[in-house]
Amino acid sequence: MCGIVGYVGHQPCGSILIEGLRRLEYRGYDSAGLAIYNGEELVRVRSEGKLANLERAFMAAPVVGTVGIAHTRWATHGRPVEKNAHPHRVGDIVVVHNGIIENYAELRAELIAGGAVFESETDTEVAAQLIAKHRGSFGSLHETVRFAISLIRGSYALVVLDGGNPDEIVAARQASPLVLGLGEGEQFAASDVPAIMAHTRNVIFLMDGDSAILRREGISVFDESGAAVERPVKRIAWDPISAEKQGYKHFMLKEIHEQPARIVDTLRGRIAAGTNMVEIPELNLEPAFLRDIDRIIIIACGTSYHSGMVARYTIESLARVPVELELASEFRYRDPVVTERTLAIAISQSGETADTLAAIREAKRLGAKTAAVCNVMESTIARECGSVIYTQAGPEIGVASTKAFTTQLTALYLFALWLAQHRGLLDDAERRAELVGAFRQIPGMVEQAIALEPQIRAMAKELVHATSCLFLGRGAQFPIALEGALKLKEISYIHAEGYAAGEMKHGPIALIDETLPVVVIAPENGHFEKVMSNVEEVKARGGRLIVVTTAGAHGPERFADHVFVVPKAHPLFESIVTVIPLQLLSYCVADAKGTDVDQPRNLAKSVTVE
Ligand code: AGP
């Protein structure tokens, strides 16, 4: 996913633009660039690879100016080489873009037939060419940009600067996030808040179809029809430091350690003291619908899909509503049965994942009521669903989701309790007190599980040379096995597979030998005895066993090479605790291997392309 930063103000903006891009590195990228007006002309600097390369090129020939735009590119059309890096320039027009112009090929052909000369292989250059071509035909850059985007199909967050009119920048948004920052005599545009929150916490989230003119004296926003519109100014509560590493080696490690606090933040204000009733005011689902609901479809990708898999057990157990899990990228290619009694829940940390957005739109089109579990305020998925439960994880910078996962589970467990209440299944105050009391113990238990870090770090080097790893779990620990495997493979690049422990005998047991590390999640719950028999099967075949179990459990220590003991939580909520050692294991192995933990190769934090 690309990163955009724009500035118009009174400060030399080179460092503002580059620092802003640095705060967006988590989005994944393969080239970067900027363009600044130096008082006489537009100067563009671009480079392949990491931001450090752009910084070196910029320092070799600094450009001083108070208006500019910048970009980190995650290649979608055209190789990750300098000529494809943004900003794209045609004459005095420079453009940065995040998204995909789906009809770029036909537009490109028309423009070339009209004499345009392209320098790149990208879809974005089509936008630059269109704006340059029609630059004189309209009264302003803003109107020219609006005309150009009227010809474009697809998704875009665009920021445009005209060297012939360098006292403003124009921004436009369709299906790719764009946030504007309001300062004193200076204005900002960015793909995401971390890029600008060192300068301002007062932001406007553009809506789809919006465009804006940013001048030193202020920002004007216009809706799809071109009419001036007042978008609310939001105040970002995160402080600039919170998006820094705070002394941790990687954002991922910081975010693992943040989890107890973020779970508390997500719970805050949602459980009434005394009655233990769960309150989620932002869920505007009619009581009649909740009583009549016949099915919940949870739609998500990756780690978010795993949190939905875990939550299914708790929602079905408490609320007695059937829950189905759907991979977002698959949901649309079936002819799914959706009725007006169906609730479709999209789970997405970023709120911008293209597969999940497309799938939830399809569920809505088929008549389902929709709700979202998101971590980014005003994100597209959050705004397009009928209701949203925001997790309070704060900005998750590491590409590997950790605190987003455990705060998603927190939000989903709250939803399960809330739904059970509305279906008259939690009228018993004692039962509510028991469940809520157990829920409130989770942050402290997570804290205790995080304290395993030194023990896990000590053994992690044993896995550094592993070529594959198997994760096993039963019940709600099966998706935890999937999540542990995803974490390990996405940051250490070691192949890993999560499997239902009961499935071992149906094939995977053929893999077991002394070279294969097997991680078994075996909390002492209703499945413990059966899982322990799986542990013995693995041991009997010489497998290297790592077992995650709970305090007081007896048995694993007889077979396992390593046992990680976490506090024993209520079975309906225990997955928030059992996942912690697996997060730490993947982190410590990747750190020992020296991979790029926060920005693993080939990955982006938010996949906004299908
Ligand atoms: C998980 O560690 C990955 N970052 C990835 O699987 C992620 O969960 C997935 O892309 C979904 O992203 P979202 O939650 O922002 O929709």
Side-chain angles (χ1 to χ4, degrees), residues 110-123:
E110 286 168 23
L111 286 160
I112 289 173
V117 176
F118 278 73
E119 68 168 12
S120 81
E121 307 154 346
T122 68
D123 57 337

Side-chain angles (χ1 to χ4, degrees), residues 280-358:
I280 311 179
E282 61 268 38
L283 271 183
N284 50 9
L285 296 166
E286 293 301 318
F289 170 74
L290 298 174
R291 282 192 300 276
D292 195 32
I293 196 171
D294 67 356
R295 187 155 48 110
I296 293 172
I297 300 177
I298 295 180
I299 300 172
C301 303
T303 285
S304 296
Y305 179 79
H306 297 153
S307 69
M309 282 184 76
V310 172
R312 169 170 53 182
Y313 294 86
T314 302
I315 296 170
E316 289 188 338
S317 173
L318 293 177
R320 310 310 295 158
V321 176
V323 178
E324 295 166 19
L325 263 292
E326 291 286 353
L327 284 172
S329 55
E330 286 297 314
F331 178 70
R332 299 161 65 209
Y333 305 113
R334 294 180 17 222
D335 187 4
V337 175
V338 174
T339 72
E340 70 286 347
R341 294 172 61 200
T342 303
L343 173 63
I345 299 176
I347 304 175
S348 176
Q349 187 282 132
S350 62
E352 300 298 344
T353 298
D355 287 326
T356 307
L357 177 59

Side-chain angles (χ1 to χ4, degrees), residues 300-305 347-354 356 373 381 396 398-402 404 408 483 486-487 490 603-607:
C301 303
T303 285
S304 296
Y305 179 79
I347 304 175
S348 176
Q349 187 282 132
S350 62
E352 300 298 344
T353 298
T356 307
V373 175
I381 291 171
E396 185 174 70
V399 165
S401 255
T402 50
Q408 284 169 354
E483 176 60 12
L486 175 60
K487 285 279 128 350
E490 70 176 321
L603 285 176
K605 181 61 184 171
S606 170
V607 184

Side-chain angles (χ1 to χ4, degrees), residues 127 145 162 193 232 264 269 304 308 380 419 445 557 584 601 605-606:
V145 170
D162 179 347
V193 168
V264 169
S304 296
T380 305
L419 184 58
M445 291 181 170
E557 71 285 353
L584 289 167
R601 66 187 182 199
K605 181 61 184 171
S606 170

Side-chain angles (χ1 to χ4, degrees), residues 195-378:
I196 56 177
M197 64 181 172
H199 306 285
T200 179
R201 298 182 198 173
N202 299 317
V203 300
I204 291 171
F205 292 90
L206 289 185
M207 313 282 275
D208 280 352
D210 282 358
S211 58
I213 304 171
L214 289 74
R215 297 190 183 99
R216 291 176 180 80
E217 58 272 21
I219 293 175
S220 307
V221 181
F222 305 85
D223 67 14
E224 197 155 13
S225 71
V229 66
E230 283 296 317
R231 294 290 178 220
V233 177
K234 304 269 185 178
R235 182 153 181 80
I236 294 301
W238 313 327
D239 62 73
I241 302 301
S242 71
E244 294 305 316
K245 296 177 190 168
Q246 291 173 346
Y248 290 97
K249 184 176 179 182
H250 296 104
F251 280 112
M252 182 180 176
L253 187 57
K254 167 181 167 283
E255 289 154 3
I256 288 172
H257 281 260
E258 270 187 79
Q259 292 180 108
R262 300 292 82 79
I263 292 166
V264 169
D265 288 348
T266 303
L267 283 171
R268 185 168 290 120
R270 288 176 160 159
I271 300 177
T275 64
N276 292 314
M277 295 290 277
V278 171
E279 297 159 356
I280 311 179
E282 61 268 38
L283 271 183
N284 50 9
L285 296 166
E286 293 301 318
F289 170 74
L290 298 174
R291 282 192 300 276
D292 195 32
I293 196 171
D294 67 356
R295 187 155 48 110
I296 293 172
I297 300 177
I298 295 180
I299 300 172
C301 303
T303 285
S304 296
Y305 179 79
H306 297 153
S307 69
M309 282 184 76
V310 172
R312 169 170 53 182
Y313 294 86
T314 302
I315 296 170
E316 289 188 338
S317 173
L318 293 177
R320 310 310 295 158
V321 176
V323 178
E324 295 166 19
L325 263 292
E326 291 286 353
L327 284 172
S329 55
E330 286 297 314
F331 178 70
R332 299 161 65 209
Y333 305 113
R334 294 180 17 222
D335 187 4
V337 175
V338 174
T339 72
E340 70 286 347
R341 294 172 61 200
T342 303
L343 173 63
I345 299 176
I347 304 175
S348 176
Q349 187 282 132
S350 62
E352 300 298 344
T353 298
D355 287 326
T356 307
L357 177 59
I360 200 70
R361 282 173 171 165
E362 176 66 4
K364 202 169 172 182
R365 186 187 68 79
L366 293 170
K369 292 233 180 333
T370 56
V373 175
C374 282
N375 190 46
V376 178
M377 181 169 61
E378 305 282 333

Side-chain angles (χ1 to χ4, degrees), residues 559-574:
F559 308 102
D561 299 281
H562 298 281
V563 180
F564 300 129
V565 180
V566 298
K568 184 172 170 51
H570 190 289
L572 289 177
F573 310 132
E574 67 187 356

